[in-house]
Amino acid sequence: MSGDPFSFCTEIAPPATPCSPSPCGPYSECTVSANGVAACSCRAGHVGSPPSCRPECLVSSDCKLQLACIDRRCRDPCEGACGRGARCQVIAHSPICTCNDEYTGDPFTYCYPAPSQPPAPIDPCQPSPCGPNSICLSNADTPACSCQPHFIGSPPNCRPECTISAECPAALACVAQRCKDPCLQACGVHAICTVIDHRATCACEPGLEGNPFQGCSQPKGNEKR
């Protein structure tokens, strides 16, 4: 051991690691380059550049119209969507399956050669051409498409009003895929509720105390006699 009384502390001090903590930001990877400095790159499946790496998509509208957001990546929604003997067409991010010419059946499971005799009347809504979250009604052998209640958009691109609160106005929150007032039944009695960035914030009325989420009351010793 060196005669220097501070040499022991110097010898056991851990070496500096440029990647701990990582300077690269979220969704990134940090490696130490040959010259001993941190080298940042985005994780596989993410786009951008550190420190602003992000998933390729969060919703399908982040992708091109012929692609859909699957596992946070823009992919072809037709892969594995249709049955044998069927063709797939992507319309506004949604896969639409139909049987090939001179074939019939359920394009989502199996299409088979159409019989030579005149076919029986076919329900234009079976299978539905309207896309997910939609309603199909037969109108003179023509499908009439509309979105299900509480869904917005237009077929074949019907979607929930929201999936996360950021899709709602700041005074509302996403509850059961609808933008609603988060203050409803959020606070206890004699409490005041305000909405801050989609979240309900409860506070006791002036002069009262307690847990505003359960109920507020007069401070002890100040109860009305």
Side-chain angles (χ1 to χ4, degrees):
M1 182 181 295
S2 171
D4 185 348
F6 299 101
S7 61
F8 178 74
C9 294
T10 303
E11 292 172 359
I12 65 173
T17 303
C19 284
S20 181
S22 173
C24 300
Y27 304 116
S28 64
E29 293 181 348
C30 182
T31 57
V32 181
S33 65
N35 57 358
V37 299
C40 299
S41 60
C42 290
R43 293 178 184 172
H46 292 74
V47 297
S49 58
S52 299
C53 300
R54 65 187 188 281
E56 186 175 4
C57 63
L58 294 176
V59 294
S60 290
S61 58
D62 295 335
C63 304
K64 296 180 179 179
L65 286 175
Q66 68 270 26
L67 301 176
C69 191
I70 302 172
D71 295 330
R72 295 192 173 188
R73 301 191 68 181
C74 291
R75 298 179 178 178
D76 182 1
C78 278
E79 294 182 3
C82 303
R84 188 172 63 179
R87 60 176 176 267
C88 183
Q89 180 183 11
V90 181
I91 300 178
H93 313 291
S94 297
I96 305 299
C97 300
T98 55
C99 289
N100 290 317
D101 295 341
E102 300 181 0
Y103 278 70
T104 188
D106 182 354
F108 292 96
T109 55
Y110 174 63
C111 293
Y112 54 88
S116 57
Q117 66 271 20
I122 297 176
D123 184 351
C125 288
Q126 293 297 330
S128 173
C130 299
N133 306 317
S134 65
I135 298 172
C136 183
L137 297 176
S138 177
N139 183 12
D141 298 329
T142 301
C145 300
S146 61
C147 291
Q148 294 179 3
H150 308 312
F151 284 80
I152 60 176
S154 58
N157 197 28
C158 298
R159 64 188 188 279
E161 185 177 2
C162 63
T163 54
I164 57 176
S165 291
E167 296 173 340
C168 302
L172 301 177
C174 191
V175 180
Q177 296 187 329
R178 298 189 66 187
C179 293
K180 298 181 179 180
D181 182 0
C183 276
L184 295 176
Q185 299 180 344
C187 304
V189 296
H190 300 303
I192 300 171
C193 183
T194 55
V195 181
I196 300 176
D197 193 21
H198 311 289
R199 296 179 180 272
T201 300
C202 300
C204 288
E205 294 177 354
L208 302 183
E209 65 178 18
N211 185 339
F213 292 94
Q214 297 177 353
C216 301
S217 60
Q218 291 284 344
K220 292 184 177 179
N222 292 341
E223 296 88 346
K224 293 183 180 180
R225 298 181 180 274

